[in-house]
Amino acid sequence: MPALFRRVAEKDRKTIRLFVDGHEIEALEGDTLLVALLTRTRQLRHNEFDNAPRAGFCLMGACQDCWVWTEDGTQLRACSTTAQPGMRITTTEVPWLTNL
């Protein structure tokens, strides 16, 4: 499946590696999590209410459409969180939310 975003500039930045849903991916230093994921896939996550694919909405941190979580349960906005080397995030339903 082709990616939703296509990088057209700033391709010469340093490459970093992070883990998304247990899979290692590459991003460029300074990318947000949203850019790191959508340059590789067509969706960021699935909506927790109707399982519809989501790819962010406002892209400026005002809505709740781009939530992802660290593996320890910290909730992050993918559109405004900078990807860090070795970061481990999940985009799928997380067990600690289903027990509420």
Side-chain angles (χ1 to χ4, degrees):
M1 181 183 320
L4 187 62
F5 287 178
R6 184 171 56 101
R7 193 178 301 277
V8 296
E10 299 184 47
K11 297 178 183 182
D12 59 348
R13 289 183 279 141
K14 179 181 171 187
T15 300
I16 62 169
R17 296 181 187 279
L18 60 144
F19 297 86
V20 178
D21 297 329
H23 301 283
E24 188 176 48
I25 67 165
E26 288 185 349
L28 296 184
E29 194 173 65
D31 281 355
T32 63
L33 290 173
L34 187 77
V35 169
L37 272 70
L38 293 182
T39 54
R40 278 146 190 80
T41 186
R42 295 192 59 78
Q43 65 197 35
L44 179 63
R45 64 181 185 93
H46 285 92
N47 183 291
E48 59 272 20
F49 302 108
D50 63 5
N51 207 35
R54 306 305 301 166
F57 180 72
C58 72
L59 306 180
M60 63 180 196
C63 73
Q64 291 80 42
D65 204 49
C66 69
W67 289 123
V68 294
W69 300 266
T70 63
E71 287 183 349
D72 69 3
T74 303
Q75 194 172 34
L76 304 170
R77 290 183 191 271
C79 69
S80 58
T81 302
T82 304
Q84 300 296 322
M87 183 178 256
R88 300 185 75 86
I89 64 162
T90 182
T91 64
T92 58
E93 184 175 339
V94 289
W96 56 88
L97 291 180
T98 59
N99 295 329
L100 298 177

Coordinates of all heavy atoms in Angstrom, one line a residue:
M1 N 0.8 -1.2 0.0 CA 0.0 0.0 0.0 C 0.9 1.2 0.0 O 1.8 1.3 0.8 CB -0.9 0.0 1.3 CG -1.8 1.1 1.3 SD -2.9 1.2 2.8 CE -3.3 -0.4 3.1
P2 N 0.6 2.2 -0.9 CA 1.5 3.4 -0.9 C 1.2 4.3 0.3 O 0.2 4.2 0.9 CB 1.0 4.1 -2.2 CG -0.3 3.5 -2.5 CD -0.4 2.2 -1.9
A3 N 2.2 5.1 0.6 CA 2.1 6.0 1.7 C 1.2 7.1 1.4 O 1.0 7.5 0.3 CB 3.5 6.5 2.1
L4 N 0.7 7.7 2.5 CA -0.2 8.9 2.3 C 0.6 10.2 2.0 O 0.2 11.0 1.2 CB -1.0 9.1 3.6 CG -2.1 10.2 3.5 CD1 -3.1 9.9 2.5 CD2 -2.8 10.3 4.9
F5 N 1.8 10.3 2.7 CA 2.7 11.4 2.5 C 3.8 11.0 1.6 O 4.3 9.9 1.7 CB 3.3 11.9 3.8 CG 2.3 12.7 4.7 CD1 2.8 13.1 6.0 CD2 1.0 12.9 4.4 CE1 1.9 13.8 6.8 CE2 0.1 13.6 5.3 CZ 0.6 14.0 6.5
R6 N 4.3 12.0 0.8 CA 5.5 11.8 0.0 C 6.5 12.9 0.3 O 6.1 14.1 0.2 CB 5.1 11.8 -1.5 CG 6.3 11.5 -2.4 CD 5.8 11.3 -3.8 NE 5.1 12.4 -4.3 CZ 5.5 13.3 -5.1 NH1 6.8 13.3 -5.5 NH2 4.8 14.3 -5.5
R7 N 7.7 12.5 0.7 CA 8.7 13.5 1.0 C 9.2 14.1 -0.3 O 9.7 13.4 -1.2 CB 9.8 12.8 1.8 CG 10.7 13.8 2.5 CD 11.8 13.1 3.3 NE 11.3 12.3 4.3 CZ 10.9 12.7 5.5 NH1 11.0 14.0 5.8 NH2 10.5 11.9 6.4
V8 N 9.2 15.5 -0.4 CA 9.7 16.1 -1.6 C 10.9 17.0 -1.3 O 11.5 17.5 -2.2 CB 8.6 17.0 -2.3 CG1 7.5 16.0 -2.8 CG2 8.0 18.0 -1.3
A9 N 11.2 17.3 0.0 CA 12.3 18.2 0.3 C 12.9 17.7 1.6 O 12.4 16.8 2.3 CB 11.8 19.6 0.5
E10 N 14.0 18.3 2.0 CA 14.8 18.0 3.2 C 15.1 16.5 3.3 O 15.0 15.9 4.4 CB 14.0 18.4 4.4 CG 13.8 19.9 4.4 CD 13.1 20.3 5.7 OE1 13.5 19.9 6.8 OE2 12.1 21.1 5.6
K11 N 15.5 15.9 2.3 CA 15.8 14.4 2.3 C 17.2 14.1 2.8 O 17.5 13.0 3.0 CB 15.7 13.8 0.9 CG 14.3 14.0 0.3 CD 14.2 13.4 -1.1 CE 12.8 13.6 -1.7 NZ 12.7 13.0 -3.0
D12 N 18.0 15.1 3.1 CA 19.4 14.9 3.5 C 19.6 15.0 5.0 O 20.7 14.9 5.4 CB 20.3 15.9 2.8 CG 20.0 17.3 3.1 OD1 18.9 17.6 3.6 OD2 20.8 18.2 2.8
R13 N 18.5 15.0 5.8 CA 18.7 14.9 7.2 C 19.1 13.6 7.7 O 18.8 12.6 7.0 CB 17.4 15.4 7.9 CG 17.1 16.8 7.7 CD 15.8 17.2 8.5 NE 14.7 16.9 7.7 CZ 13.5 16.4 8.1 NH1 13.4 16.2 9.4 NH2 12.5 16.1 7.3
K14 N 19.7 13.5 8.9 CA 20.1 12.2 9.4 C 18.9 11.3 9.7 O 17.9 11.7 10.1 CB 20.8 12.5 10.8 CG 21.3 11.3 11.5 CD 21.9 11.7 12.8 CE 22.2 10.5 13.6 NZ 22.7 10.8 15.0
T15 N 19.2 10.0 9.4 CA 18.2 9.0 9.6 C 18.2 8.5 11.0 O 19.2 8.3 11.6 CB 18.4 7.8 8.6 OG1 18.4 8.2 7.3 CG2 17.4 6.7 8.8
I16 N 17.0 8.3 11.6 CA 16.9 7.7 12.9 C 16.0 6.5 12.8 O 15.2 6.3 11.8 CB 16.3 8.7 14.0 CG1 14.9 9.1 13.6 CG2 17.2 9.9 14.2 CD1 14.1 9.9 14.7
R17 N 16.0 5.6 13.8 CA 15.2 4.4 13.9 C 14.3 4.4 15.1 O 14.8 4.8 16.2 CB 16.0 3.2 13.8 CG 16.8 3.0 12.6 CD 17.7 1.7 12.6 NE 18.6 1.6 11.5 CZ 18.2 1.2 10.2 NH1 17.0 0.9 10.0 NH2 19.1 1.2 9.3
L18 N 13.1 4.1 14.9 CA 12.2 3.9 16.1 C 11.3 2.7 15.8 O 11.3 2.1 14.7 CB 11.4 5.2 16.3 CG 10.5 5.7 15.1 CD1 9.2 6.3 15.7 CD2 11.2 6.7 14.3
F19 N 10.5 2.4 16.8 CA 9.6 1.2 16.7 C 8.2 1.6 16.8 O 7.8 2.3 17.7 CB 9.9 0.2 17.8 CG 11.3 -0.3 17.7 CD1 12.4 0.4 18.3 CD2 11.6 -1.5 17.1 CE1 13.7 -0.1 18.2 CE2 12.9 -2.0 17.0 CZ 13.9 -1.3 17.5
V20 N 7.4 1.1 15.8 CA 6.0 1.4 15.8 C 5.2 0.1 15.7 O 5.5 -0.7 14.8 CB 5.6 2.3 14.5 CG1 4.1 2.5 14.5 CG2 6.4 3.6 14.6
D21 N 4.4 -0.2 16.7 CA 3.7 -1.5 16.8 C 4.6 -2.7 16.7 O 4.3 -3.7 16.1 CB 2.6 -1.5 15.8 CG 1.5 -0.5 16.0 OD1 1.3 -0.1 17.1 OD2 0.9 0.0 15.0
G22 N 5.8 -2.5 17.3 CA 6.8 -3.6 17.3 C 7.7 -3.7 16.1 O 8.6 -4.5 16.1
H23 N 7.5 -2.9 15.1 CA 8.3 -2.9 13.9 C 9.2 -1.7 13.8 O 8.8 -0.6 14.0 CB 7.4 -2.9 12.6 CG 6.4 -4.1 12.6 ND1 6.8 -5.3 12.3 CD2 5.1 -4.1 12.9 CE1 5.7 -6.1 12.4 NE2 4.7 -5.4 12.8
E24 N 10.4 -2.0 13.5 CA 11.4 -0.9 13.3 C 11.1 -0.1 12.0 O 10.9 -0.7 11.0 CB 12.8 -1.4 13.3 CG 13.9 -0.4 13.4 CD 15.3 -0.9 13.5 OE1 15.6 -1.8 12.7 OE2 16.0 -0.4 14.3
I25 N 11.1 1.2 12.1 CA 11.0 2.0 10.9 C 12.1 3.1 11.0 O 12.7 3.4 12.0 CB 9.6 2.7 10.8 CG1 9.4 3.8 11.9 CG2 8.5 1.7 10.8 CD1 8.2 4.7 11.7
E26 N 12.3 3.7 9.8 CA 13.2 4.8 9.7 C 12.5 6.1 9.6 O 11.4 6.1 8.9 CB 14.2 4.6 8.5 CG 15.2 3.6 8.7 CD 16.2 3.5 7.5 OE1 15.9 4.2 6.5 OE2 17.2 2.8 7.7
A27 N 13.0 7.1 10.1 CA 12.5 8.5 10.0 C 13.6 9.4 9.8 O 14.8 9.0 10.0 CB 11.6 8.9 11.2
L28 N 13.4 10.6 9.5 CA 14.5 11.6 9.4 C 14.5 12.5 10.7 O 13.4 12.8 11.3 CB 14.3 12.5 8.2 CG 14.4 11.8 6.9 CD1 14.4 12.8 5.7 CD2 15.7 11.0 6.8
E29 N 15.6 12.8 11.2 CA 15.8 13.6 12.4 C 14.9 14.9 12.2 O 15.0 15.6 11.2 CB 17.2 14.0 12.6 CG 17.6 14.5 13.9 CD 19.1 14.6 14.1 OE1 19.7 15.5 13.4 OE2 19.6 13.9 14.9
G30 N 14.1 15.1 13.2 CA 13.2 16.3 13.2 C 11.8 16.0 12.7 O 10.9 16.9 12.9
D31 N 11.6 14.8 12.2 CA 10.2 14.5 11.8 C 9.3 14.3 13.0 O 9.7 13.9 14.1 CB 10.2 13.1 11.1 CG 10.6 13.1 9.7 OD1 10.9 14.2 9.1 OD2 10.8 12.0 9.1
T32 N 8.1 14.7 12.8 CA 7.1 14.4 13.9 C 6.7 12.9 13.7 O 7.0 12.3 12.7 CB 5.8 15.2 13.7 OG1 5.2 14.9 12.5 CG2 6.1 16.7 13.9
L33 N 6.1 12.3 14.7 CA 5.6 10.9 14.6 C 4.6 10.8 13.5 O 4.6 9.8 12.8 CB 5.0 10.5 15.9 CG 5.9 10.3 17.1 CD1 5.1 10.0 18.4 CD2 6.9 9.2 16.8
L34 N 3.8 11.8 13.3 CA 2.8 11.8 12.2 C 3.5 11.6 10.8 O 3.2 10.8 10.0 CB 1.9 13.0 12.2 CG 0.8 13.0 11.2 CD1 -0.3 12.1 11.7 CD2 0.3 14.4 11.0
V35 N 4.5 12.4 10.6 CA 5.3 12.4 9.3 C 6.0 11.0 9.2 O 6.0 10.4 8.2 CB 6.3 13.6 9.2 CG1 7.2 13.4 8.1 CG2 5.5 14.9 9.1
A36 N 6.6 10.6 10.3 CA 7.4 9.3 10.3 C 6.4 8.2 9.9 O 6.8 7.3 9.1 CB 8.0 9.0 11.7
L37 N 5.2 8.1 10.4 CA 4.3 7.1 10.0 C 3.7 7.2 8.7 O 3.6 6.3 7.9 CB 3.2 6.9 11.1 CG 3.6 6.0 12.3 CD1 4.6 6.6 13.1 CD2 2.3 5.7 13.1
L38 N 3.2 8.4 8.3 CA 2.5 8.6 7.1 C 3.4 8.7 5.9 O 2.9 8.6 4.7 CB 1.6 9.8 7.2 CG 0.4 9.7 8.2 CD1 -0.5 10.9 8.1 CD2 -0.4 8.4 7.9
T39 N 4.7 8.7 6.0 CA 5.6 8.5 4.9 C 5.8 7.1 4.6 O 6.5 6.7 3.6 CB 6.9 9.3 5.1 OG1 7.5 8.8 6.3 CG2 6.8 10.8 5.0
R40 N 5.2 6.2 5.4 CA 5.3 4.8 5.2 C 4.0 4.0 5.0 O 4.0 2.9 4.6 CB 6.1 4.1 6.4 CG 7.6 4.3 6.3 CD 8.3 4.5 7.6 NE 9.7 4.9 7.3 CZ 10.0 6.1 7.0 NH1 9.2 7.1 6.9 NH2 11.3 6.4 6.7
T41 N 2.9 4.6 5.4 CA 1.6 4.0 5.3 C 0.5 5.0 5.0 O 0.8 6.2 5.0 CB 1.3 3.2 6.7 OG1 0.1 2.5 6.5 CG2 1.2 4.2 7.8
R42 N -0.7 4.5 4.8 CA -1.8 5.4 4.5 C -2.6 5.9 5.6 O -3.6 6.6 5.5 CB -2.7 4.8 3.4 CG -2.0 4.5 2.1 CD -3.0 4.1 1.0 NE -4.0 5.1 0.8 CZ -3.9 6.2 0.1 NH1 -2.7 6.5 -0.4 NH2 -4.9 7.0 -0.1
Q43 N -2.3 5.3 6.8 CA -3.1 5.7 8.0 C -2.2 5.7 9.2 O -1.2 5.1 9.3 CB -4.3 4.7 8.2 CG -3.8 3.3 8.6 CD -4.8 2.3 8.4 OE1 -5.6 2.4 7.5 NE2 -4.8 1.3 9.2
L44 N -2.6 6.5 10.2 CA -1.9 6.6 11.4 C -2.4 5.5 12.4 O -1.6 4.9 13.1 CB -2.1 8.0 12.0 CG -1.5 8.3 13.4 CD1 0.0 8.2 13.3 CD2 -1.9 9.7 13.9
R45 N -3.7 5.4 12.5 CA -4.3 4.4 13.4 C -5.7 4.2 13.0 O -6.2 4.7 12.0 CB -4.2 4.9 14.9 CG -5.1 6.2 15.1 CD -5.0 6.7 16.5 NE -5.9 7.8 16.7 CZ -7.1 7.7 17.2 NH1 -7.6 6.5 17.5 NH2 -7.8 8.8 17.4
H46 N -6.4 3.3 13.8 CA -7.9 3.1 13.6 C -8.6 3.8 14.7 O -8.2 3.7 15.9 CB -8.2 1.6 13.5 CG -7.8 1.0 12.2 ND1 -6.6 0.4 12.0 CD2 -8.4 1.0 11.0 CE1 -6.5 0.0 10.8 NE2 -7.6 0.3 10.2
N47 N -9.7 4.4 14.4 CA -10.6 5.0 15.4 C -11.1 4.0 16.4 O -11.5 2.9 16.0 CB -11.8 5.7 14.7 CG -12.7 6.4 15.6 OD1 -13.3 5.8 16.5 ND2 -12.7 7.7 15.5
E48 N -11.0 4.3 17.7 CA -11.4 3.3 18.7 C -12.9 3.1 18.8 O -13.3 2.1 19.4 CB -10.8 3.8 20.1 CG -11.3 5.1 20.6 CD -10.4 6.3 20.1 OE1 -9.7 6.1 19.1 OE2 -10.5 7.3 20.7
F49 N -13.7 3.9 18.1 CA -15.1 3.8 18.2 C -15.7 2.9 17.1 O -16.6 2.1 17.3 CB -15.8 5.1 18.3 CG -15.3 5.9 19.4 CD1 -14.5 7.0 19.3 CD2 -15.7 5.6 20.7 CE1 -14.1 7.8 20.3 CE2 -15.2 6.3 21.8 CZ -14.4 7.4 21.6
D50 N -15.3 3.2 15.8 CA -15.8 2.5 14.7 C -14.8 1.8 13.8 O -15.1 1.3 12.8 CB -16.7 3.4 13.8 CG -15.9 4.5 13.2 OD1 -14.6 4.6 13.4 OD2 -16.5 5.4 12.6
N51 N -13.5 1.8 14.3 CA -12.4 1.1 13.6 C -12.1 1.7 12.2 O -11.4 1.1 11.4 CB -12.7 -0.4 13.5 CG -11.4 -1.2 13.4 OD1 -10.4 -0.8 14.1 ND2 -11.3 -2.2 12.7
A52 N -12.6 2.9 12.0 CA -12.3 3.6 10.7 C -10.8 4.0 10.7 O -10.3 4.5 11.7 CB -13.2 4.8 10.5
P53 N -10.1 4.0 9.5 CA -8.8 4.5 9.5 C -8.7 6.0 9.7 O -9.6 6.8 9.3 CB -8.3 4.2 8.1 CG -9.6 3.9 7.3 CD -10.6 3.6 8.2
R54 N -7.7 6.4 10.5 CA -7.5 7.8 10.8 C -6.1 8.2 10.4 O -5.1 7.4 10.5 CB -7.6 8.1 12.3 CG -9.0 7.6 12.9 CD -10.2 8.1 12.2 NE -10.2 9.6 12.2 CZ -11.0 10.3 11.5 NH1 -11.8 9.7 10.6 NH2 -11.0 11.6 11.5
A55 N -5.9 9.5 9.9 CA -4.6 10.0 9.5 C -4.3 11.4 10.1 O -3.5 12.1 9.5 CB -4.5 10.0 8.0
G56 N -4.9 11.7 11.2 CA -4.8 13.1 11.7 C -5.9 13.9 11.1 O -6.4 13.6 10.0
F57 N -6.2 15.0 11.7 CA -7.2 15.9 11.2 C -6.7 17.3 11.1 O -6.6 17.9 10.1 CB -8.5 15.8 12.1 CG -9.6 16.7 11.6 CD1 -10.3 16.4 10.5 CD2 -9.9 17.8 12.4 CE1 -11.4 17.2 10.1 CE2 -11.0 18.6 11.9 CZ -11.7 18.3 10.8
C58 N -6.4 17.9 12.3 CA -6.1 19.4 12.3 C -4.6 19.6 12.0 O -4.2 20.6 11.5 CB -6.4 20.0 13.6 SG -5.4 19.5 15.0
L59 N -3.8 18.6 12.3 CA -2.3 18.6 12.1 C -1.6 19.7 12.9 O -0.5 20.1 12.5 CB -2.0 18.7 10.6 CG -2.6 17.6 9.7 CD1 -2.2 17.8 8.3 CD2 -2.3 16.2 10.2
M60 N -2.3 20.2 13.9 CA -1.6 21.3 14.7 C -1.9 21.1 16.2 O -1.7 22.0 17.0 CB -2.1 22.7 14.3 CG -3.6 22.9 14.5 SD -4.0 24.5 13.9 CE -5.6 24.7 14.7
G61 N -2.3 19.9 16.7 CA -2.4 19.6 18.1 C -3.7 20.1 18.7 O -3.7 20.2 20.0
A62 N -4.7 20.5 18.0 CA -6.0 21.0 18.6 C -7.0 19.9 18.7 O -8.0 20.0 19.5 CB -6.5 22.1 17.8
C63 N -7.0 18.8 17.9 CA -8.0 17.8 18.0 C -7.4 16.5 18.7 O -6.3 16.6 19.2 CB -8.5 17.4 16.5 SG -7.3 16.5 15.5
Q64 N -8.1 15.5 18.6 CA -7.7 14.2 19.3 C -7.6 13.1 18.3 O -7.7 11.9 18.6 CB -8.6 13.8 20.4 CG -8.6 14.7 21.6 CD -9.4 16.0 21.4 OE1 -10.5 15.9 20.9 NE2 -8.9 17.1 21.8
D65 N -7.4 13.4 17.0 CA -7.4 12.4 16.0 C -6.1 11.7 15.8 O -6.1 10.6 15.2 CB -7.8 13.1 14.6 CG -8.4 12.1 13.7 OD1 -9.3 11.3 14.1 OD2 -8.0 12.1 12.5
C66 N -5.0 12.2 16.3 CA -3.7 11.6 16.0 C -3.0 11.0 17.2 O -1.8 10.8 17.3 CB -2.7 12.6 15.4 SG -2.2 13.9 16.5
W67 N -3.8 10.6 18.3 CA -3.2 10.0 19.5 C -2.5 8.7 19.1 O -3.0 7.9 18.4 CB -4.3 9.7 20.5 CG -4.9 10.8 21.2 CD1 -6.3 11.1 21.2 CD2 -4.3 11.9 22.0 NE1 -6.5 12.3 22.0 CE2 -5.3 12.7 22.4 CE3 -3.0 12.1 22.3 CZ2 -5.1 13.8 23.2 CZ3 -2.7 13.2 23.1 CH2 -3.7 14.1 23.6
V68 N -1.3 8.6 19.7 CA -0.6 7.3 19.7 C -0.1 7.2 21.2 O -0.2 8.1 22.0 CB 0.6 7.3 18.7 CG1 0.1 7.3 17.3 CG2 1.6 8.4 19.0
W69 N 0.4 6.0 21.5 CA 0.9 5.8 22.9 C 2.3 5.2 22.9 O 2.7 4.5 22.0 CB -0.1 4.8 23.6 CG -1.5 5.3 23.6 CD1 -2.1 6.0 24.7 CD2 -2.5 5.2 22.6 NE1 -3.3 6.3 24.3 CE2 -3.6 5.8 23.1 CE3 -2.5 4.6 21.3 CZ2 -4.8 5.9 22.4 CZ3 -3.6 4.7 20.6 CH2 -4.8 5.3 21.1
T70 N 3.0 5.6 24.0 CA 4.3 4.9 24.2 C 3.9 3.5 24.7 O 2.8 3.3 25.2 CB 5.2 5.6 25.2 OG1 4.5 5.6 26.5 CG2 5.5 7.0 24.7
E71 N 4.9 2.5 24.7 CA 4.6 1.2 25.2 C 4.3 1.2 26.7 O 3.7 0.3 27.2 CB 5.7 0.3 24.8 CG 5.7 -0.1 23.4 CD 6.8 -1.1 23.0 OE1 7.7 -1.4 23.8 OE2 6.8 -1.6 21.9
D72 N 4.7 2.2 27.4 CA 4.3 2.3 28.9 C 3.0 3.0 29.1 O 2.6 3.1 30.3 CB 5.5 2.9 29.7 CG 5.7 4.4 29.4 OD1 4.9 5.0 28.6 OD2 6.6 5.0 30.0
G73 N 2.3 3.4 28.1 CA 1.0 4.0 28.2 C 0.9 5.5 28.1 O -0.2 6.0 28.2
T74 N 2.0 6.2 27.9 CA 1.9 7.6 27.8 C 1.2 8.0 26.5 O 1.6 7.5 25.4 CB 3.3 8.3 27.9 OG1 3.9 7.9 29.1 CG2 3.2 9.8 27.8
Q75 N 0.2 8.9 26.5 CA -0.5 9.3 25.3 C 0.2 10.5 24.7 O 0.7 11.4 25.4 CB -1.9 9.7 25.7 CG -2.9 9.8 24.6 CD -4.3 10.0 25.1 OE1 -4.5 10.7 26.1 NE2 -5.2 9.5 24.3
L76 N 0.4 10.4 23.4 CA 1.1 11.5 22.6 C 0.3 11.9 21.4 O -0.4 11.1 20.8 CB 2.5 10.9 22.1 CG 3.5 10.3 23.1 CD1 4.6 9.7 22.4 CD2 4.0 11.4 24.0
R77 N 0.4 13.2 21.1 CA -0.1 13.6 19.8 C 1.0 13.4 18.7 O 2.0 14.0 18.8 CB -0.5 15.1 19.9 CG -1.7 15.4 20.8 CD -2.0 16.9 20.8 NE -2.9 17.3 21.8 CZ -4.2 17.2 21.6 NH1 -4.8 16.9 20.5 NH2 -5.0 17.6 22.6
A78 N 0.7 12.6 17.8 CA 1.6 12.3 16.7 C 2.0 13.5 15.9 O 3.1 13.7 15.4 CB 1.1 11.2 15.8
C79 N 1.1 14.5 15.8 CA 1.3 15.7 14.9 C 2.3 16.6 15.5 O 2.9 17.4 14.8 CB 0.0 16.4 14.6 SG -0.8 17.2 15.9
S80 N 2.4 16.6 16.8 CA 3.3 17.6 17.5 C 4.4 17.0 18.3 O 5.1 17.7 19.0 CB 2.5 18.6 18.3 OG 1.7 17.9 19.3
T81 N 4.6 15.7 18.3 CA 5.7 15.0 19.0 C 6.8 14.6 18.0 O 6.5 13.9 17.0 CB 5.1 13.7 19.7 OG1 4.1 14.1 20.6 CG2 6.2 13.0 20.5
T82 N 8.0 15.1 18.3 CA 9.1 14.8 17.5 C 9.6 13.3 17.7 O 9.7 12.9 18.8 CB 10.3 15.7 17.8 OG1 9.8 17.1 17.6 CG2 11.5 15.5 16.8
A83 N 9.8 12.6 16.6 CA 10.3 11.2 16.7 C 11.7 11.2 17.3 O 12.5 12.1 16.9 CB 10.2 10.6 15.3
Q84 N 11.9 10.3 18.2 CA 13.2 10.2 18.8 C 13.8 8.8 18.5 O 13.1 7.9 18.4 CB 13.1 10.4 20.3 CG 12.5 11.7 20.8 CD 13.4 12.9 20.4 OE1 14.6 12.8 20.5 NE2 12.8 14.0 20.0
P85 N 15.2 8.8 18.4 CA 15.8 7.5 18.1 C 15.4 6.5 19.3 O 15.4 6.8 20.4 CB 17.3 7.8 18.2 CG 17.4 9.2 17.9 CD 16.1 9.8 18.5
G86 N 15.0 5.3 18.9 CA 14.7 4.2 19.8 C 13.3 4.3 20.4 O 12.9 3.4 21.2
M87 N 12.6 5.3 20.1 CA 11.2 5.5 20.7 C 10.4 4.3 20.3 O 10.5 3.7 19.2 CB 10.6 6.8 20.0 CG 9.3 7.1 20.5 SD 8.7 8.7 19.7 CE 9.0 9.8 21.1
R88 N 9.5 3.8 21.2 CA 8.7 2.7 21.0 C 7.2 3.1 21.2 O 6.8 3.5 22.3 CB 9.0 1.6 22.0 CG 10.5 1.1 21.8 CD 10.8 -0.1 22.6 NE 10.2 -1.3 22.1 CZ 10.8 -2.1 21.2 NH1 11.9 -1.8 20.7 NH2 10.1 -3.2 20.8
I89 N 6.5 3.2 20.1 CA 5.1 3.6 20.2 C 4.1 2.5 19.7 O 4.5 1.6 19.0 CB 4.8 4.9 19.5 CG1 5.1 4.8 18.0 CG2 5.7 6.0 20.1 CD1 4.4 5.9 17.2
T90 N 2.9 2.7 20.1 CA 1.8 1.8 19.5 C 0.7 2.6 19.0 O 0.4 3.7 19.5 CB 1.3 0.8 20.6 OG1 0.4 -0.1 20.0 CG2 0.8 1.5 21.8
T91 N 0.1 2.2 17.9 CA -1.0 2.9 17.3 C -2.3 2.1 17.4 O -3.4 2.5 17.0 CB -0.7 3.1 15.8 OG1 -0.7 1.9 15.1 CG2 0.5 3.9 15.6
T92 N -2.2 0.9 18.0 CA -3.4 0.0 18.1 C -4.1 0.2 19.4 O -3.5 0.8 20.3 CB -3.0 -1.4 17.8 OG1 -2.0 -1.8 18.8 CG2 -2.4 -1.6 16.4
E93 N -5.2 -0.5 19.6 CA -5.9 -0.4 20.9 C -5.0 -1.0 21.9 O -4.3 -1.9 21.8 CB -7.1 -1.3 20.8 CG -8.0 -1.3 22.1 CD -9.2 -2.1 21.9 OE1 -9.7 -2.3 20.8 OE2 -9.8 -2.4 23.0
V94 N -4.9 -0.3 23.0 CA -4.0 -0.6 24.1 C -4.7 -1.2 25.3 O -5.8 -0.7 25.6 CB -3.2 0.7 24.5 CG1 -2.2 1.0 23.4 CG2 -4.1 1.9 24.8
P95 N -4.2 -2.2 25.9 CA -4.9 -2.9 27.0 C -5.2 -2.0 28.2 O -6.3 -2.2 28.8 CB -4.0 -4.0 27.4 CG -2.8 -4.0 26.5 CD -2.9 -2.8 25.6
W96 N -4.4 -1.1 28.5 CA -4.7 -0.3 29.7 C -5.9 0.6 29.5 O -6.5 1.1 30.5 CB -3.5 0.5 30.2 CG -2.9 1.4 29.1 CD1 -3.3 2.7 28.8 CD2 -1.9 1.1 28.2 NE1 -2.6 3.2 27.8 CE2 -1.7 2.2 27.3 CE3 -1.1 -0.1 27.9 CZ2 -0.8 2.2 26.3 CZ3 -0.2 0.0 26.9 CH2 0.0 1.1 26.1
L97 N -6.3 0.9 28.2 CA -7.5 1.7 28.0 C -8.8 0.9 28.0 O -9.9 1.4 28.4 CB -7.4 2.4 26.7 CG -6.4 3.5 26.5 CD1 -6.4 4.1 25.2 CD2 -6.6 4.6 27.6
T98 N -8.7 -0.4 27.7 CA -9.9 -1.3 27.7 C -10.3 -1.7 29.1 O -11.4 -2.1 29.3 CB -9.7 -2.5 26.9 OG1 -8.6 -3.3 27.4 CG2 -9.4 -2.2 25.4
N99 N -9.5 -1.5 30.1 CA -9.8 -1.8 31.5 C -10.4 -0.7 32.3 O -10.6 -0.8 33.5 CB -8.5 -2.3 32.2 CG -8.0 -3.6 31.6 OD1 -8.8 -4.4 31.1 ND2 -6.7 -3.8 31.6
L100 N -10.6 0.5 31.7 CA -11.2 1.6 32.4 C -12.6 1.5 32.7 O -13.4 0.9 32.0 CB -10.9 2.9 31.6 CG -9.4 3.2 31.4 CD1 -9.3 4.5 30.5 CD2 -8.7 3.4 32.7

